[in-house]
Each structure stands twice: as structure tokens, then as C-alpha cells.
């Protein structure tokens, strides 16, 4: 029997011992905590704008407006992420597969963005040097890193991004397997279906079925 690629990579466990449903719940709660911390920091920055001062008095008003707008956008994104992660956590806990889809789509989008970053580094390797020059002077190990060659910098950054992409791909697989597990549990709730000759009754959570005996035809006698 030939298995499809999706069935071949399907597994109900991850991280060697954790169930995909439990892993999705933990992942959703973890993302919610991170975005909640970011949201608190943004709200604190918006409520106390005096801690942000600019050296140029001529551009102070324009940059203040831009900073406030960026903080409001970041706050809205954090609120949206908390909602999406909460939906995934609730869907994995209550076995609602549709609630997991937004979080899975976010993971795909985030993976695609990181892949584009890796491609841009390969195409434009000088961007790493430009980024290092924009760092503050007191940034730790700035001079040592800037002294490396462009090839070494690109190789180190690509290795780092590759590790991140591999980890993100593993998390995507965990959430996808959780979605398939929840869908499978939902389909097992169908208790009865009728075939052409007999009736089969499914007894969840078991996969075996109890088949009713076929109908017997009446015997006919001839004189």
C-alpha cells in the first residue's frame, strides 16, 4: 500500500515524548506570553513619551509622530497575535481544528519572511556590513565582528538563519500534525454508516467495527 507524503511524515508525538496536541497548547501559550510582554512594553512607552528625547529640535515633532504611529501599529499586531495564539490554544484543547488554521498560516508567513531574509543576504552580502556600521559604538564585540571578512560574516549569518528555519519548520510540522490529529478525532465521531449489504457500527475510540449480520433471504420451495 502506497502512502502519501503527508501520511509518511505524520506523527502524533514530537520532541521525543510530547504529544502534538500538548506541544501546540504549550507553543500557543508561549507565543501569547511573548506578545503580552511586548504589548506591556509598548503601552509603557506610549504612556511615558518623555523618556524618548531627540537631539535635533527641528525634526523632533515629526519623529515623535512617527514613533507613536509605529508603536500603535506594533501594539495592534501584538493584540492580533495574542488573539491568533489564543485561538490555536483553545482549538487544540477543545479539539476544534478550524481554530488552529490562523496560527498555522502565521507560521507559514513567518517562515517565508525568514527565508526571504536568507535569500537577500546571499544576493546582497554587503548589507551585513551596512548593518554593523549602524550599530552604536558601545555595542559589544562590534569591532571584532566588523574585522571579519564578508564571506565569513555571510557564512555565520546563513548558518544561524538555517538553524532558525529548521526549528521553525519543526514547529510548523508539530502544529500541522496536531491539526490532522484533531481532524481525525472529529471524523471518528461518526458512529453509523450504511453500506449496500449490511450496517457497520464504529465504536470510538477503537478503530475496529462491529458488523451486523447480513439480511437473510427467505427460502422458496417448489412443489
Amino acid at each position: 500500500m502506497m502512502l502519501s507524503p503527508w501520511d509518511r511524515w505524520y506523527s502524533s508525538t514530537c520532541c521525543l515524548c510530547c504529544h502534538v496536541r500538548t506541544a501546540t497548547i504549550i507553543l500557543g501559550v508561549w507565543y501569547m506570553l511573548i506578545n503580552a510582554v511586548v504589548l506591556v512594553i509598548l503601552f509603557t512607552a506610549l504612556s511615558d513619551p518623555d523618556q524618548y528625547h531627540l537631539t535635533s529640535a527641528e525634526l523632533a515633532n515629526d519623529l515623535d509622530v512617527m514613533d507613536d504611529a509605529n508603536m500603535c501599529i506594533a501594539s495592534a499586531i501584538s493584540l492580533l497575535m495574542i488573539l491568533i495564539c489564543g485561538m490555536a490554544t483553545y482549538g487544540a484543547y477543545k479539539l476544534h481544528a478550524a481554530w488552529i488554521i490562523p496560527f498555522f498560516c502565521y507560521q507559514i508567513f513567518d517562515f517565508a519572511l525568514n527565508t526571504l531574509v536568507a535569500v537577500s543576504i546571499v544576493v546582497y552580502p554587503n548589507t551585513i556590513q551596512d548593518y554593523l556600521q549602524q550599530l552604536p559604538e558601545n555595542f559589544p564585540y562590534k569591532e571584532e565582528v566588523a574585522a571579519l571578512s564578508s564571506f565569513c560574516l555571510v557564512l555565520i549569518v546563513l548558518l544561524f538563519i538555517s538553524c532558525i528555519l529548521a526549528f521553525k519548520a519543526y514547529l510548523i510540522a508539530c502544529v500541522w500534525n496536531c491539526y490532522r490529529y484533531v481532524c481525525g478525532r472529529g471524523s471518528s465521531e461518526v458512529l453509523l454508516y450504511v453500506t449496500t449489504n449490511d450496517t457497520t457500527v464504529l465504536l470510538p475510540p477503537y478503530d475496529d467495527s462491529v458488523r451486523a449480520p447480513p439480511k437473510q433471504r427467505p427460502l422458496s420451495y417448489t412443489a
Side-chain angles (χ1 to χ4, degrees), residues 97-191:
W99 291 64
I100 307 176
I101 295 178
F103 184 70
F104 178 75
C105 294
Y106 157 74
Q107 286 184 303
I108 297 295
F109 179 73
D110 182 59
F111 184 84
L113 285 182
N114 285 272
T115 304
L116 290 177
V117 171
V119 172
S120 65
I121 291 175
V122 175
V123 177
Y124 303 103
N126 294 328
T127 55
I128 302 177
Q129 293 288 348
D130 297 337
Y131 177 76
L132 290 175
Q133 293 177 1
Q134 295 176 2
L135 294 176
E137 295 297 333
N138 57 353
F139 191 83
Y141 304 105
K142 177 183 177 180
E143 296 180 356
E144 289 79 359
V145 174
L148 296 175
S149 62
S150 299
F151 178 78
C152 292
L153 286 176
V154 171
L155 187 62
I156 293 173
V157 173
L158 285 180
L159 182 61
F160 180 71
I161 294 179
S162 299
C163 294
I164 294 178
L165 288 177
F167 182 69
K168 288 181 178 293
Y170 185 76
L171 294 181
I172 290 173
C174 292
V175 175
W176 174 251
N177 288 334
C178 177
Y179 172 78
R180 294 192 60 189
Y181 171 79
V182 173
C183 289
R185 287 291 299 269
S187 62
S188 65
E189 293 178 357
V190 180
L191 301 180

Side-chain angles (χ1 to χ4, degrees), residues 78-93:
S78 297
L79 285 174
L80 181 62
M81 283 302 306
I82 292 175
L83 178 62
I84 292 175
C85 298
M87 290 174 60
T89 304
Y90 179 80
Y93 181 73

Side-chain angles (χ1 to χ4, degrees), residues 179-216:
Y179 172 78
R180 294 192 60 189
Y181 171 79
V182 173
C183 289
R185 287 291 299 269
S187 62
S188 65
E189 293 178 357
V190 180
L191 301 180
L192 183 66
Y193 68 92
V194 179
T195 60
T196 55
N197 296 325
D198 54 3
T199 301
T200 304
V201 180
L202 299 180
L203 302 176
Y206 304 102
D207 295 332
D208 298 333
S209 59
V210 178
R211 292 184 177 272
K215 298 179 180 179
Q216 298 181 355

Side-chain angles (χ1 to χ4, degrees), residues 66-84:
M66 292 177 60
D67 289 341
D68 292 341
N70 292 332
M71 288 182 183
C72 291
I73 294 174
S75 301
I77 294 174
S78 297
L79 285 174
L80 181 62
M81 283 302 306
I82 292 175
L83 178 62
I84 292 175

